[in-house]
Amino acid sequence: MTAPLTDPAVRRLALVRLRVGLGDLLCTVPALRRLRAARPDVEVTLVTFGRMAPVVQRLGGTVDELLAFPGAPGIPDGPVDEAGWAPFTAAARERGYDLALQAYGDRPPANRVTAALGARLTGGFAPTGWDPPAGSEALHLRYPLHLHEAQRHVALLEHLGLPPGGEAVMGFPLTADDEAEHAATLAAHGLEPGRYAVLHPGASAPTRRWPVDRYAAVGDALAADGLAVVVTGVPGEREISARVVAAMRAPAVDLTGATSLGGLAALLRDSAVLVGNDTGSAHLAAAVGARSVTVFLPGDPVRWAHPGPRHRALTPTVACAPCPHLACPIEFRCALTVTPDAVAGAARELAAS
């Protein structure tokens, strides 16, 4: 079988991502950029939940269309709109995809969603314990658990014919409006590029949130070094950010919910260092070339820790990490083994580089 991404007849591609995390989509960008460079003639549809449209619009022209996914049993990233399934699959079939790829991950229900799109060819990741239908084996790649998330998607497209091209390079384009917002933010709070540290204490899952008092201790340590301290987060994280600011002895600027996505990206780019959890801000920092220290608790650093001299991953020394729990069923011991001194030390090292 001809590798589909070398076939000029493959012109319409559906990429079934189904993810709702900022980091998930940002880690898809290296593969999308490589695809756009190698096959600019291919029209790419990203299949994911409609609420991800603001993020998809910021993927640097690598996606032509978002096809809103109504949810499905076995996909935990969003609710299931049963009435939306028939219109969704009908819209997919009307588009006449040449190739549909399961780019979700290690979950067989995503393969069922991909098959329902009615594409001429169906492939993508083959989850653990799931075997492709007869005749489509070459179009599938066994889910590569040993690779970083960004590299997994590059590996999938290379398996399907994309020319090898080295490392998976992150990216996030900034607009003139982003730069104007950022300049106004810096001026309003007396911040100077390279002279402030960012703390991002929130995360969607409780088990990925390093304790507030530890963030406050790191903030005070960096403030003692002469850095201004900025706390960021999405609007729903205002309470946790306020607790960090209140626990600090030094003053801090709380910008939680006060920036756009592009404004946050510029803020991270010009910071001395970001200290945050295993969440979207860490991936956004990598995408704009910022320095970052990421505290991993139950998360898998093999999958999510960015390589290179501008990034540090602090991991717990407990046998139960990484783990899949969203709320720890025991005493959250992983959070206690990552110390403020270790995190502050890593942040200082990066800030001085």
Side-chain angles (χ1 to χ4, degrees):
M1 177 182 290
T2 301
L5 294 181
T6 66
D7 183 355
V10 172
R11 300 291 295 275
R12 306 199 77 183
L13 167 65
L15 202 67
V16 179
R17 193 67 175 107
L18 312 184
R19 294 288 189 176
V20 295
L22 172 62
D24 296 291
L25 292 187
L26 289 178
C27 285
T28 314
V29 169
L32 290 169
R33 292 170 72 180
R34 291 268 306 278
L35 176 62
R36 184 65 84 199
R39 288 293 308 273
D41 58 315
V42 172
E43 181 179 326
V44 179
T45 297
L46 193 68
V47 181
T48 189
F49 290 88
R51 63 182 178 276
M52 297 310 296
V55 178
V56 174
Q57 290 168 1
R58 300 302 300 261
L59 298 186
T62 57
V63 172
D64 297 291
E65 180 188 29
L66 184 155
L67 180 60
F69 175 59
I75 303 297
D77 298 72
V80 178
D81 174 12
E82 294 182 0
W85 180 255
F88 163 70
T89 54
R93 291 171 183 271
E94 286 175 5
R95 285 159 172 76
Y97 294 120
D98 298 302
L99 177 64
L101 297 179
Q102 195 272 68
Y104 177 87
D106 203 20
R107 190 174 289 271
N111 296 80
R112 293 195 289 271
V113 172
T114 308
L117 302 184
R120 179 165 58 87
L121 299 171
T122 299
F125 289 129
T128 305
W130 179 92
D131 292 321
S136 70
E137 293 88 350
L139 296 173
H140 289 83
L141 175 69
R142 184 62 61 189
Y143 192 60
L145 294 167
H146 63 292
L147 295 179
H148 186 275
E149 181 73 2
Q151 294 172 321
R152 292 177 187 189
H153 294 272
V154 170
L156 174 61
L157 297 191
E158 287 183 350
H159 175 74
L160 297 171
L162 201 69
E167 296 182 6
V169 180
M170 301 288 286
F172 184 86
L174 293 171
T175 67
D177 287 345
D178 297 332
E179 298 290 4
E181 175 193 331
H182 175 52
T185 298
L186 296 186
H189 298 283
L191 300 171
E192 299 178 21
R195 298 300 306 156
Y196 62 88
V198 176
L199 305 182
H200 194 102
S204 58
T207 49
R208 286 193 282 133
R209 299 176 198 147
W210 198 44
V212 161
D213 62 324
R214 300 193 170 215
Y215 270 106
V218 171
D220 283 330
L222 298 178
D225 291 344
L227 293 173
V229 176
V230 177
V231 183
T232 61
V234 299
E237 294 168 340
R238 288 193 175 102
E239 186 269 340
I240 192 170
S241 293
R243 288 168 53 207
V244 170
V245 173
M248 286 180 59
R249 296 187 303 274
V253 176
D254 190 351
L255 293 179
T256 305
T259 65
S260 67
L261 179 59
L264 176 61
L267 186 75
L268 296 177
R269 180 198 63 195
D270 287 349
S271 68
V273 65
L274 161 72
V275 177
N277 298 315
D278 168 29
T279 190
S281 60
H283 305 293
L284 189 58
V288 296
R291 302 175 188 87
S292 67
V293 175
T294 303
V295 179
F296 281 85
L297 298 177
D300 183 1
V302 170
R303 182 176 184 182
W304 298 112
H306 290 283
R310 298 176 74 83
H311 307 292
R312 299 287 187 276
L314 277 292
T315 58
T317 55
V318 293
C320 55
C323 83
H325 293 290
L326 299 180
C328 183
I330 50 177
E331 69 272 23
F332 203 21
R333 64 185 67 165
C334 60
L336 303 180
T337 66
V338 180
T339 67
D341 284 347
V343 174
R348 284 170 165 151
E349 179 185 345
L350 285 177
S353 63

